[in-house]
Amino acid sequence: MQTLADFGDGGGPGPWILFFPLIWVLVIGGGIALLRRTLWRGRRGRPWERPTVEGDSPLAVLGRRFASGEIDEDEYWRRLSVLNEEFGHKGGTA
């Protein structure tokens, strides 16, 4: 019985043996490409970077409320100063 792996007189696998590593390279490369497009697409920037202000943080909520007009500028600055004391970077000497 003649198979695709037989070459010429049936003395070995022939050139078809080179086809199987190519298949594995394509499968692994396709898997990596699929992961990059699906899992890492939803994140901002590179996959290992995290945004500095989370979407539900008090500072982000305050910014959205000011941008939508729920609070005025004076109230925004008052609340921002309180939030910076509580959640922001604390200045001072070590």
Side-chain angles (χ1 to χ4, degrees):
M1 174 179 231
Q2 190 80 9
T3 64
L4 290 176
D6 290 336
F7 183 67
D9 61 354
W16 290 101
I17 196 72
L18 300 175
F19 186 65
F20 294 108
L22 178 64
I23 289 175
W24 281 112
V25 168
L26 291 175
V27 166
I28 292 170
I32 291 172
L34 183 67
L35 285 174
R36 287 182 56 114
R37 287 185 122 348
T38 58
L39 294 180
W40 297 337
R41 179 67 60 151
R43 297 180 184 168
R44 295 179 193 160
R46 296 182 180 105
W48 54 87
E49 291 178 350
R50 294 281 183 222
T52 55
V53 176
E54 296 294 327
D56 294 333
S57 73
L59 294 174
V61 171
L62 180 65
R64 281 195 299 270
R65 288 187 65 198
F66 177 65
S68 68
E70 291 180 39
I71 58 174
D72 63 354
E73 185 177 359
D74 292 332
E75 186 175 355
Y76 171 77
W77 288 112
R78 259 193 331 267
R79 291 179 184 220
L80 184 62
S81 66
V82 171
L83 289 174
N84 277 334
E85 289 174 10
E86 196 169 327
F87 295 105
H89 298 290
K90 300 202 179 354
T93 58

